Amino acid sequence: MPTTFQVRAREAFEEVGSASEFTVEKYEIESEQERPLTKNEARLMRRYMGPSAVEDAVHHLLDAERIHLSWHTPDHQIYGEFALKDLRACLWGDYMPYTDERLTPKEKLVMGEIKTLEESPGSGRLTALRVPMEITPCREIWFYDMNHQRFELLDLDYSSYVDTLLITKGIPGWQYLYTDTHLADDEFSFIARQLEISLDALEEIFPRHDYSGLRERLEARL
């Protein structure tokens, strides 16, 4: 049987695929076999994320190492994309091989301790788990936006992050709603407007989902 989260992810993909308003560019989710959590994987999760990591995240694992969804409206005004790694693939993976010299010294230190969890390929944006070199349990999730020179700690844990990812369908910049960023600044005018029209579309096309919390967060940052 597929994992609970794999089933939910497939449902989210099918929602987008069945929406006549959207054109799907990428739809990669199927896995060829089950991936039960092994003892070594459970040990690694507890080592990196603390004693309760398995209990907290076990219902948010994937059967596939990565799933990838990309979609847009015919006029490309509304779009979304995400390539999400399974938590185990993220933790077993390598640290990011580069840093951004424009960041502060403190931010550079954190960037040296992150592993990519999810990204929109080619966008300059990604989300990562912080895995300290000294193996101190940590559950911090960081959002990096190369274009805006932003490296932000998110007010989300792993399970909440991937849950929100499925609801937002990967609309660009939704992660800013979980930071203290002031989206009314001129620098973020495009992102703020994109979030507004994207949430409008998602609320209309997927009425069974509750987007009120995201809407409130957007309004609080404008």
Side-chain angles (χ1 to χ4, degrees):
M1 293 290 292
T3 64
T4 303
F5 188 69
Q6 185 88 7
V7 170
R8 291 176 51 216
R10 186 174 290 112
E11 290 174 349
F13 277 42
E14 290 174 353
E15 277 186 329
V16 174
S18 62
S20 60
E21 297 87 347
F22 298 151
T23 298
V24 175
E25 294 288 345
K26 285 280 188 180
Y27 189 110
E28 299 173 357
I29 190 170
E30 300 297 335
S31 58
E32 297 181 357
Q33 57 186 8
E34 295 181 22
R35 292 185 64 214
L37 183 67
T38 68
K39 290 183 178 179
N40 283 340
E41 290 170 341
R43 188 179 302 114
L44 184 74
M45 289 170 61
R46 294 188 180 102
R47 183 183 184 189
Y48 285 155
M49 301 176 67
S52 64
V54 173
E55 292 75 11
D56 294 342
V58 68
H59 297 300
H60 289 80
L61 300 178
L62 293 166
D63 290 329
E65 288 201 2
R66 191 181 84 149
I67 60 176
H68 187 178
L69 176 67
S70 176
W71 57 271
H72 59 79
T73 54
D75 58 9
H76 290 264
Q77 288 191 9
I78 301 171
Y79 55 93
E81 181 176 22
F82 66 84
L84 173 68
K85 289 183 180 179
D86 177 61
L87 176 61
R88 294 162 290 181
C90 174
L91 293 176
W92 279 112
D94 297 328
Y95 288 95
M96 281 185 58
Y98 61 88
T99 188
D100 188 332
E101 293 302 322
R102 302 171 299 172
L103 300 179
T104 66
K106 183 178 180 180
E107 289 172 336
K108 290 179 184 177
L109 287 175
V110 175
M111 182 166 275
E113 296 183 335
I114 62 172
K115 298 186 177 188
T116 302
L117 173 67
E118 181 268 321
E119 63 182 324
S120 174
S123 71
R125 295 185 297 270
L126 62 84
T127 302
L129 298 181
R130 186 178 184 183
V131 183
M133 298 291 186
E134 69 274 15
I135 318 299
T136 301
C138 181
R139 297 198 180 191
E140 293 179 3
I141 297 184
W142 289 76
F143 175 62
Y144 173 55
D145 186 343
M146 180 181 67
N147 304 304
H148 290 275
Q149 195 180 328
R150 293 284 181 145
F151 190 46
E152 303 281 351
L153 176 64
L154 297 183
D155 183 24
L156 286 168
D157 60 18
Y158 165 75
S159 297
S160 297
Y161 184 88
V162 295
D163 281 342
T164 308
L165 184 65
L166 294 188
I167 294 174
T168 62
K169 311 295 191 286
I171 58 174
W174 71 265
Q175 294 89 344
Y176 277 113
L177 302 180
Y178 292 87
T179 71
D180 294 328
T181 305
H182 190 217
L183 296 178
D185 292 346
D186 290 344
E187 174 187 3
F188 294 102
S189 60
F190 177 81
I191 288 178
R193 178 56 182 159
Q194 192 66 42
L195 285 170
E196 286 180 332
I197 65 173
S198 296
L199 288 175
D200 286 345
L202 293 179
E203 286 175 334
E204 180 178 350
I205 297 169
F206 306 118
R208 76 183 186 90
H209 294 302
D210 183 5
Y211 293 96
S212 60
L214 292 165
R215 180 73 69 180
E216 290 171 2
R217 282 181 170 272
L218 176 58
E219 293 175 353
R221 284 156 183 78
L222 293 176

